[in-house]
Amino acid sequence: MAANTADKIELIQLPSDQDSTGRELGDDEMVKLATAIDSGTLTSTKGQFVKELETRFASYLGAKHAYACSSGTAALHTAIAAIDPEPGDEIVTTSITDMGALTPILYQAAIPVFADVDPKTYNLTPESIEAVLSPRTKAIMVTHLFGNPARMNEIMELARTRNIPVIEDCAQAYGAEINGKKVGTFGDIGCFSLQQGKHITTGEGGIVASDSADYARRMFLFINKAWGYGDTNPDHYFLALNYRMNELTGAVAAAQLEKLEEFVRRRIAIAEQMTAGLSGIAGIKTPAVDSECVHTYWKYCLQVDSAAFEGGLDALAKGLRERNIFCAPRYIQKPAFECQVIREQRTFGDSRFPFTLARPEAVDYSREKFTGTYDALATVLVLPLNERYSSEHVRYVVESICNVAKNLQKASS
Ligand SMILES: *Cc1c(COP(=O)(O)O)cnc(C)c1O
């Protein structure tokens, strides 16, 4: 009889961030795009839109400098290059993140050193970071996963004491705040992505921001092949790439930025309705948000106690997917250090460089060092959330979760 409950539900299609159902790309973007095309100037070195985006994003964020670039990965690479590690220097980071946050560390010849995460927030903690610091730590990279701020005040206190710069990966956390201050402004450099599925999008794109004139200068140069535009005797000053955003992308990004605050407001309101509807289901916990924080819900994550349900997390996810709710149990499935590139050190030819320079302890991925990470991945159910959800969509998602959970609930609990 449990199975039949599902059959009676009329399936609905939720807005998706992969197409026009869940993205607001329209006249505002078209007008700016047409202006860019009519101008005939598609490079940001001469055009207006990328500059406009940079100025407006800096002021939106509350940072002195911002530069656009070609992707979130490029943004993180640019941030690391600005900090300029020596080969073999260590960058403390998280293993529950996008690979685009990790490969730039290796391209700059530094070693990613993974700290454990809090299994409730999926974020690094000051304690887990401190546990892996070494004399070779050159930077700390903090990801605000799913839009939930990490404990930046304490992390910055730790980092400042040791004089270690901090990069914030805000790819999933536009608009997130701690005590009214936006993430991306606590550390030395904030990085953002404009990839298809982020809060605002241009398909691909990225932004870096900083208050430091020195980092800003190096970031500008790194994005521009380190060519000293505007200098009296310009040269290519150091090893760098062309990571520029073009004007077409800049035009769309400038239009999207105008909608960001509204998207963030809607996402928070939708998440609050979901939390209200989902509280009190045995075996399921709604997102853990510190009271001084604003979580901006790139995704909406449930923490599932598999033991409470027949078939555990997977059965729950299957039931939701059958209702067109395309959730992801275990998010990225495995910690990043279990991916081939890192596990087998597939880097430059057969050299394994820069891993050849690593302290053995820095590349020791023993399971017992990452209990929070494995626990987090074993319990997390990532639900899609979109600013275009109507109250009917929210009701559908909440009811589906309640029904699927009830049908699978073990009698004993
Ligand atoms: C999306 C994402 C990135 C990479 O951004 P791209 O624009 O896809 O290169 C990096 N870090 C996190 C946390 C992300 O979500």
Side-chain angles (χ1 to χ4, degrees):
M1 82 188 161
N4 292 338
T5 324
D7 301 334
K8 285 187 210 130
I9 291 174
E10 201 181 322
L11 295 183
I12 68 172
Q13 209 71 45
L14 294 167
S16 161
D17 62 22
Q18 298 303 298
D19 58 43
S20 61
T21 60
R23 303 278 76 179
E24 291 190 11
L25 295 159
D27 291 347
D28 302 324
E29 287 75 12
M30 283 298 234
V31 167
K32 288 191 194 294
L33 199 49
T35 308
I37 288 174
D38 287 344
S39 76
T41 304
L42 301 186
T43 172
S44 62
T45 58
K46 305 274 176 10
Q48 69 176 88
F49 284 110
V50 170
K51 286 189 183 74
E52 178 191 327
L53 170 71
E54 291 170 342
T55 308
R56 287 190 21 232
F57 191 81
S59 105
Y60 158 78
L61 190 67
K64 291 204 179 104
H65 314 273
Y67 293 110
C69 55
S70 54
S71 68
T73 305
L76 288 150
H77 193 177
T78 298
I80 294 159
I83 287 169
D84 202 18
E86 294 298 323
D89 278 354
E90 297 173 2
I91 298 187
V92 172
T93 185
T94 173
S95 64
I96 305 185
T97 186
D98 188 282
M99 191 51 76
L102 302 175
T103 44
I105 298 173
L106 296 166
Y107 270 100
Q108 285 309 111
I111 310 295
V113 174
F114 298 100
D116 203 11
V117 304
D118 178 339
K120 292 188 183 64
T121 63
Y122 319 111
N123 283 330
L124 296 181
T125 68
E127 296 80 15
S128 74
I129 292 169
E130 186 163 22
V132 299
L133 293 180
S134 89
R136 300 198 68 178
T137 307
K138 181 73 175 187
I140 299 167
M141 189 190 280
V142 181
T143 305
H144 305 291
L145 206 68
F146 303 122
N148 196 11
R151 290 156 55 195
M152 285 314 295
N153 286 315
E154 294 156 276
I155 290 170
M156 288 316 297
E157 208 176 291
L158 170 69
R160 294 290 182 241
T161 312
R162 313 277 184 114
N163 208 16
I164 302 168
V166 173
I167 298 167
E168 293 179 81
D169 182 350
C170 309
Q172 306 183 356
Y174 283 95
E177 295 178 359
I178 305 168
N179 287 323
K181 185 173 157 67
K182 285 197 178 67
V183 302
T185 63
F186 288 86
D188 297 271
I189 301 171
C191 299
F192 296 81
S193 164
L194 293 157
Q195 211 274 329
Q196 177 75 37
K198 304 297 158 87
H199 286 71
I200 52 173
T201 188
T202 57
E204 310 290 349
I207 306 174
V208 289
S210 182
D211 275 346
S212 153
D214 291 343
Y215 286 141
R217 169 73 178 159
R218 270 194 71 89
M219 292 197 294
F220 168 79
L221 287 169
F222 191 72
I223 290 168
N224 286 286
K225 296 176 259 187
W227 178 253
Y229 283 96
D231 291 1
T232 329
N233 293 306
D235 198 348
H236 292 286
Y237 300 130
F238 55 82
L239 183 65
L241 298 160
N242 177 354
Y243 271 164
R244 285 193 290 264
M245 178 182 281
N246 67 62
E247 284 289 289
L248 303 174
T249 303
V252 175
Q256 284 277 291
L257 179 56
E258 285 178 27
K259 303 174 179 176
L260 176 57
E261 285 180 305
E262 170 65 15
F263 290 170
V264 165
R265 256 196 305 279
R266 284 196 231 156
R267 279 178 177 266
I268 294 169
I270 289 162
E272 283 173 353
Q273 290 170 48
M274 303 229 316
T275 296
L278 295 170
S279 299
I281 304 177
I284 290 181
K285 288 202 185 83
T286 55
V289 193
D290 287 346
S291 58
E292 68 274 21
C293 290
V294 175
H295 183 328
T296 60
Y297 299 97
W298 178 60
K299 303 286 177 192
Y300 185 93
C301 293
L302 295 174
Q303 204 194 327
V304 177
D305 172 12
S306 270
F309 302 99
E310 292 296 343
L313 179 62
D314 288 311
L316 202 61
K318 184 165 174 284
L320 293 174
R321 295 181 75 92
E322 282 166 3
R323 285 161 174 77
N324 287 342
I325 299 168
F326 297 109
C327 56
R330 281 179 280 280
Y331 184 42
I332 53 167
Q333 308 307 312
K334 59 187 180 191
F337 52 72
E338 287 187 17
C339 290
Q340 209 171 332
V341 48
I342 295 173
R343 186 167 41 87
E344 296 180 8
Q345 306 183 341
R346 300 273 179 102
T347 53
F348 304 97
D350 290 328
S351 71
R352 298 182 172 229
F353 182 85
F355 287 110
T356 42
L357 305 175
R359 289 181 305 125
E361 228 199 333
V363 291
D364 171 9
Y365 309 130
S366 307
R367 227 184 148 88
E368 60 273 17
K369 290 170 73 180
F370 298 99
T371 53
T373 301
Y374 284 101
D375 192 17
L377 292 173
T379 57
V380 70
L381 180 62
V382 182
L383 293 162
L385 192 149
N386 189 277
E387 59 276 2
R388 304 194 83 186
Y389 281 6
S390 65
S391 43
E392 189 202 350
H393 293 134
V394 177
R395 203 159 44 238
Y396 176 79
V397 173
V398 167
E399 279 176 17
S400 295
I401 295 168
C402 290
N403 288 340
V404 173
K406 205 164 78 194
N407 291 341
L408 295 171
Q409 214 113 47
K410 285 186 182 165
S412 57
S413 55

mmCIF file of all heavy atoms in Angstrom, residues 70-74 76 96-101 143-145 169-172 192-195 198 203-206 298 331, ligand 1:
data_model
loop_
_atom_site.group_PDB
_atom_site.id
_atom_site.type_symbol
_atom_site.label_atom_id
_atom_site.label_comp_id
_atom_site.label_asym_id
_atom_site.label_seq_id
_atom_site.Cartn_x
_atom_site.Cartn_y
_atom_site.Cartn_z
ATOM 1 N N SER A 70 37.365 34.392 -17.071
ATOM 2 C CA SER A 70 36.633 33.493 -17.967
ATOM 3 C C SER A 70 35.870 32.369 -17.281
ATOM 4 O O SER A 70 35.036 31.730 -17.908
ATOM 5 C CB SER A 70 37.601 32.914 -19.005
ATOM 6 O OG SER A 70 38.690 32.317 -18.341
ATOM 7 N N SER A 71 36.152 32.090 -16.011
ATOM 8 C CA SER A 71 35.417 31.038 -15.299
ATOM 9 C C SER A 71 35.692 31.161 -13.795
ATOM 10 O O SER A 71 36.577 31.917 -13.379
ATOM 11 C CB SER A 71 35.862 29.642 -15.765
ATOM 12 O OG SER A 71 37.191 29.379 -15.355
ATOM 13 N N GLY A 72 34.947 30.406 -13.018
ATOM 14 C CA GLY A 72 35.229 30.338 -11.582
ATOM 15 C C GLY A 72 36.582 29.694 -11.340
ATOM 16 O O GLY A 72 37.332 30.095 -10.446
ATOM 17 N N THR A 73 36.910 28.706 -12.150
ATOM 18 C CA THR A 73 38.219 28.059 -12.062
ATOM 19 C C THR A 73 39.327 29.084 -12.322
ATOM 20 O O THR A 73 40.330 29.133 -11.596
ATOM 21 C CB THR A 73 38.302 26.910 -13.094
ATOM 22 O OG1 THR A 73 37.203 26.024 -12.875
ATOM 23 C CG2 THR A 73 39.608 26.158 -12.992
ATOM 24 N N ALA A 74 39.138 29.900 -13.351
ATOM 25 C CA ALA A 74 40.113 30.955 -13.668
ATOM 26 C C ALA A 74 40.210 31.943 -12.504
ATOM 27 O O ALA A 74 41.304 32.425 -12.176
ATOM 28 C CB ALA A 74 39.715 31.678 -14.949
ATOM 29 N N LEU A 76 39.751 31.341 -9.292
ATOM 30 C CA LEU A 76 40.533 30.724 -8.216
ATOM 31 C C LEU A 76 42.006 30.632 -8.594
ATOM 32 O O LEU A 76 42.893 30.869 -7.775
ATOM 33 C CB LEU A 76 39.941 29.352 -7.879
ATOM 34 C CG LEU A 76 38.601 29.499 -7.136
ATOM 35 C CD1 LEU A 76 37.679 28.330 -7.417
ATOM 36 C CD2 LEU A 76 38.839 29.673 -5.638
ATOM 37 N N ILE A 96 35.430 18.579 -0.257
ATOM 38 C CA ILE A 96 34.052 18.570 -0.787
ATOM 39 C C ILE A 96 33.857 19.882 -1.513
ATOM 40 O O ILE A 96 33.418 20.892 -0.954
ATOM 41 C CB ILE A 96 32.994 18.384 0.317
ATOM 42 C CG1 ILE A 96 33.291 17.122 1.128
ATOM 43 C CG2 ILE A 96 31.601 18.287 -0.312
ATOM 44 C CD1 ILE A 96 32.233 16.777 2.161
ATOM 45 N N THR A 97 34.240 19.887 -2.771
ATOM 46 C CA THR A 97 34.146 21.093 -3.590
ATOM 47 C C THR A 97 34.219 20.714 -5.056
ATOM 48 O O THR A 97 34.355 19.536 -5.399
ATOM 49 C CB THR A 97 35.249 22.101 -3.223
ATOM 50 O OG1 THR A 97 35.037 23.321 -3.933
ATOM 51 C CG2 THR A 97 36.642 21.561 -3.556
ATOM 52 N N ASP A 98 34.126 21.718 -5.909
ATOM 53 C CA ASP A 98 34.270 21.533 -7.343
ATOM 54 C C ASP A 98 35.758 21.364 -7.665
ATOM 55 O O ASP A 98 36.601 22.044 -7.085
ATOM 56 C CB ASP A 98 33.711 22.801 -8.020
ATOM 57 C CG ASP A 98 33.625 22.675 -9.520
ATOM 58 O OD1 ASP A 98 34.667 22.809 -10.195
ATOM 59 O OD2 ASP A 98 32.513 22.458 -10.009
ATOM 60 N N MET A 99 36.077 20.471 -8.595
ATOM 61 C CA MET A 99 37.486 20.247 -8.957
ATOM 62 C C MET A 99 38.140 21.540 -9.461
ATOM 63 O O MET A 99 39.355 21.713 -9.357
ATOM 64 C CB MET A 99 37.582 19.123 -9.995
ATOM 65 C CG MET A 99 38.985 18.621 -10.264
ATOM 66 S SD MET A 99 39.974 18.179 -8.792
ATOM 67 C CE MET A 99 39.265 16.600 -8.345
ATOM 68 N N GLY A 100 37.336 22.448 -9.982
ATOM 69 C CA GLY A 100 37.849 23.729 -10.456
ATOM 70 C C GLY A 100 38.454 24.581 -9.352
ATOM 71 O O GLY A 100 39.134 25.574 -9.621
ATOM 72 N N ALA A 101 38.219 24.198 -8.113
ATOM 73 C CA ALA A 101 38.836 24.909 -6.989
ATOM 74 C C ALA A 101 40.180 24.295 -6.626
ATOM 75 O O ALA A 101 40.961 24.896 -5.885
ATOM 76 C CB ALA A 101 37.905 24.877 -5.779
ATOM 77 N N THR A 143 35.716 27.363 1.216
ATOM 78 C CA THR A 143 34.532 27.308 0.351
ATOM 79 C C THR A 143 33.282 27.451 1.208
ATOM 80 O O THR A 143 33.150 26.770 2.219
ATOM 81 C CB THR A 143 34.492 25.953 -0.387
ATOM 82 O OG1 THR A 143 35.711 25.788 -1.083
ATOM 83 C CG2 THR A 143 33.321 25.900 -1.360
ATOM 84 N N HIS A 144 32.393 28.339 0.800
ATOM 85 C CA HIS A 144 31.101 28.458 1.496
ATOM 86 C C HIS A 144 30.129 27.533 0.764
ATOM 87 O O HIS A 144 29.420 27.950 -0.151
ATOM 88 C CB HIS A 144 30.624 29.907 1.481
ATOM 89 C CG HIS A 144 31.629 30.860 2.057
ATOM 90 N ND1 HIS A 144 31.943 30.879 3.394
ATOM 91 C CD2 HIS A 144 32.421 31.797 1.479
ATOM 92 C CE1 HIS A 144 32.870 31.807 3.617
ATOM 93 N NE2 HIS A 144 33.176 32.377 2.464
ATOM 94 N N LEU A 145 30.134 26.270 1.152
ATOM 95 C CA LEU A 145 29.455 25.257 0.352
ATOM 96 C C LEU A 145 27.940 25.399 0.390
ATOM 97 O O LEU A 145 27.353 25.598 1.453
ATOM 98 C CB LEU A 145 29.883 23.857 0.787
ATOM 99 C CG LEU A 145 29.770 22.796 -0.315
ATOM 100 C CD1 LEU A 145 30.769 23.019 -1.440
ATOM 101 C CD2 LEU A 145 29.936 21.403 0.263
ATOM 102 N N ASP A 169 36.134 30.929 -1.586
ATOM 103 C CA ASP A 169 35.458 30.442 -2.782
ATOM 104 C C ASP A 169 33.957 30.643 -2.581
ATOM 105 O O ASP A 169 33.294 29.894 -1.861
ATOM 106 C CB ASP A 169 35.796 28.967 -3.016
ATOM 107 C CG ASP A 169 35.155 28.417 -4.285
ATOM 108 O OD1 ASP A 169 34.302 29.110 -4.876
ATOM 109 O OD2 ASP A 169 35.503 27.282 -4.684
ATOM 110 N N CYS A 170 33.440 31.689 -3.239
ATOM 111 C CA CYS A 170 32.034 32.080 -3.077
ATOM 112 C C CYS A 170 31.204 31.684 -4.295
ATOM 113 O O CYS A 170 30.133 32.246 -4.529
ATOM 114 C CB CYS A 170 31.939 33.591 -2.876
ATOM 115 S SG CYS A 170 33.022 34.210 -1.580
ATOM 116 N N ALA A 171 31.701 30.718 -5.069
ATOM 117 C CA ALA A 171 31.011 30.303 -6.302
ATOM 118 C C ALA A 171 29.564 29.912 -6.036
ATOM 119 O O ALA A 171 28.695 30.091 -6.882
ATOM 120 C CB ALA A 171 31.753 29.138 -6.948
ATOM 121 N N GLN A 172 29.300 29.390 -4.840
ATOM 122 C CA GLN A 172 27.943 28.926 -4.499
ATOM 123 C C GLN A 172 27.271 29.855 -3.491
ATOM 124 O O GLN A 172 26.211 29.521 -2.976
ATOM 125 C CB GLN A 172 28.023 27.505 -3.911
ATOM 126 C CG GLN A 172 28.749 26.517 -4.813
ATOM 127 C CD GLN A 172 28.782 25.101 -4.273
ATOM 128 O OE1 GLN A 172 28.322 24.845 -3.166
ATOM 129 N NE2 GLN A 172 29.323 24.181 -5.049
ATOM 130 N N PHE A 192 34.283 34.168 -7.448
ATOM 131 C CA PHE A 192 32.893 33.893 -7.837
ATOM 132 C C PHE A 192 32.866 33.233 -9.215
ATOM 133 O O PHE A 192 33.792 33.417 -10.007
ATOM 134 C CB PHE A 192 32.087 35.202 -7.871
ATOM 135 C CG PHE A 192 31.967 35.854 -6.510
ATOM 136 C CD1 PHE A 192 33.014 36.626 -5.998
ATOM 137 C CD2 PHE A 192 30.838 35.675 -5.733
ATOM 138 C CE1 PHE A 192 32.918 37.213 -4.737
ATOM 139 C CE2 PHE A 192 30.727 36.259 -4.476
ATOM 140 C CZ PHE A 192 31.768 37.031 -3.976
ATOM 141 N N SER A 193 31.784 32.501 -9.475
ATOM 142 C CA SER A 193 31.603 31.835 -10.766
ATOM 143 C C SER A 193 30.284 32.270 -11.389
ATOM 144 O O SER A 193 29.305 32.514 -10.686
ATOM 145 C CB SER A 193 31.587 30.310 -10.564
ATOM 146 O OG SER A 193 31.068 29.659 -11.707
ATOM 147 N N LEU A 194 30.277 32.354 -12.710
ATOM 148 C CA LEU A 194 29.051 32.675 -13.447
ATOM 149 C C LEU A 194 28.618 31.493 -14.311
ATOM 150 O O LEU A 194 27.924 31.652 -15.326
ATOM 151 C CB LEU A 194 29.283 33.915 -14.328
ATOM 152 C CG LEU A 194 29.508 35.214 -13.558
ATOM 153 C CD1 LEU A 194 30.255 36.235 -14.404
ATOM 154 C CD2 LEU A 194 28.191 35.800 -13.085
ATOM 155 N N GLN A 195 29.015 30.315 -13.923
ATOM 156 C CA GLN A 195 28.690 29.100 -14.664
ATOM 157 C C GLN A 195 27.165 28.914 -14.725
ATOM 158 O O GLN A 195 26.435 29.513 -13.920
ATOM 159 C CB GLN A 195 29.400 27.918 -13.965
ATOM 160 C CG GLN A 195 29.814 26.795 -14.891
ATOM 161 C CD GLN A 195 28.696 25.815 -15.111
ATOM 162 O OE1 GLN A 195 27.872 25.615 -14.230
ATOM 163 N NE2 GLN A 195 28.650 25.220 -16.297
ATOM 164 N N LYS A 198 24.916 28.653 -11.428
ATOM 165 C CA LYS A 198 25.148 29.476 -10.224
ATOM 166 C C LYS A 198 24.015 30.510 -10.042
ATOM 167 O O LYS A 198 23.125 30.590 -10.874
ATOM 168 C CB LYS A 198 26.527 30.140 -10.318
ATOM 169 C CG LYS A 198 27.666 29.120 -10.525
ATOM 170 C CD LYS A 198 27.829 28.140 -9.360
ATOM 171 C CE LYS A 198 28.546 26.861 -9.741
ATOM 172 N NZ LYS A 198 29.976 26.856 -9.685
ATOM 173 N N GLY A 203 26.687 31.391 -18.540
ATOM 174 C CA GLY A 203 27.135 30.118 -19.112
ATOM 175 C C GLY A 203 28.472 29.729 -18.523
ATOM 176 O O GLY A 203 28.602 28.711 -17.850
ATOM 177 N N GLU A 204 29.481 30.557 -18.773
ATOM 178 C CA GLU A 204 30.786 30.456 -18.125
ATOM 179 C C GLU A 204 31.229 31.867 -17.776
ATOM 180 O O GLU A 204 30.882 32.814 -18.466
ATOM 181 C CB GLU A 204 31.848 29.821 -19.041
ATOM 182 C CG GLU A 204 31.465 28.515 -19.702
ATOM 183 C CD GLU A 204 31.365 27.325 -18.749
ATOM 184 O OE1 GLU A 204 31.795 27.444 -17.578
ATOM 185 O OE2 GLU A 204 30.823 26.287 -19.178
ATOM 186 N N GLY A 205 32.025 31.984 -16.716
ATOM 187 C CA GLY A 205 32.545 33.292 -16.336
ATOM 188 C C GLY A 205 32.958 33.279 -14.882
ATOM 189 O O GLY A 205 32.588 32.366 -14.135
ATOM 190 N N GLY A 206 33.749 34.283 -14.485
ATOM 191 C CA GLY A 206 34.192 34.349 -13.099
ATOM 192 C C GLY A 206 34.534 35.773 -12.701
ATOM 193 O O GLY A 206 34.663 36.651 -13.568
ATOM 194 N N TRP A 298 22.360 27.973 -2.706
ATOM 195 C CA TRP A 298 22.632 27.513 -4.073
ATOM 196 C C TRP A 298 21.898 26.182 -4.273
ATOM 197 O O TRP A 298 21.280 25.948 -5.293
ATOM 198 C CB TRP A 298 24.136 27.355 -4.287
ATOM 199 C CG TRP A 298 24.470 26.842 -5.640
ATOM 200 C CD1 TRP A 298 24.172 27.437 -6.833
ATOM 201 C CD2 TRP A 298 25.147 25.623 -5.945
ATOM 202 N NE1 TRP A 298 24.631 26.644 -7.866
ATOM 203 C CE2 TRP A 298 25.231 25.541 -7.357
ATOM 204 C CE3 TRP A 298 25.713 24.600 -5.171
ATOM 205 C CZ2 TRP A 298 25.846 24.465 -8.006
ATOM 206 C CZ3 TRP A 298 26.325 23.547 -5.817
ATOM 207 C CH2 TRP A 298 26.384 23.480 -7.217
ATOM 208 N N TYR A 331 26.174 14.189 -2.980
ATOM 209 C CA TYR A 331 26.737 15.329 -3.722
ATOM 210 C C TYR A 331 27.785 14.886 -4.733
ATOM 211 O O TYR A 331 27.427 14.349 -5.762
ATOM 212 C CB TYR A 331 27.275 16.383 -2.741
ATOM 213 C CG TYR A 331 27.805 17.649 -3.374
ATOM 214 C CD1 TYR A 331 27.148 18.251 -4.430
ATOM 215 C CD2 TYR A 331 28.969 18.251 -2.904
ATOM 216 C CE1 TYR A 331 27.644 19.408 -5.012
ATOM 217 C CE2 TYR A 331 29.466 19.409 -3.481
ATOM 218 C CZ TYR A 331 28.807 19.978 -4.541
ATOM 219 O OH TYR A 331 29.301 21.123 -5.115
HETATM 220 C C1 LIG B 1 31.276 26.116 -9.771
HETATM 221 C C2 LIG B 1 32.340 26.070 -8.755
HETATM 222 C C3 LIG B 1 33.684 26.303 -9.051
HETATM 223 C C4 LIG B 1 34.212 26.415 -10.461
HETATM 224 O O1 LIG B 1 33.606 27.381 -11.213
HETATM 225 P P1 LIG B 1 33.546 27.219 -12.824
HETATM 226 O O2 LIG B 1 32.947 28.509 -13.269
HETATM 227 O O3 LIG B 1 32.686 26.028 -13.107
HETATM 228 O O4 LIG B 1 34.934 27.049 -13.313
HETATM 229 C C5 LIG B 1 34.593 26.354 -8.025
HETATM 230 N N1 LIG B 1 34.218 26.176 -6.751
HETATM 231 C C6 LIG B 1 32.941 25.905 -6.425
HETATM 232 C C7 LIG B 1 32.603 25.722 -4.987
HETATM 233 C C8 LIG B 1 31.965 25.824 -7.411
HETATM 234 O O5 LIG B 1 30.704 25.551 -7.068
#
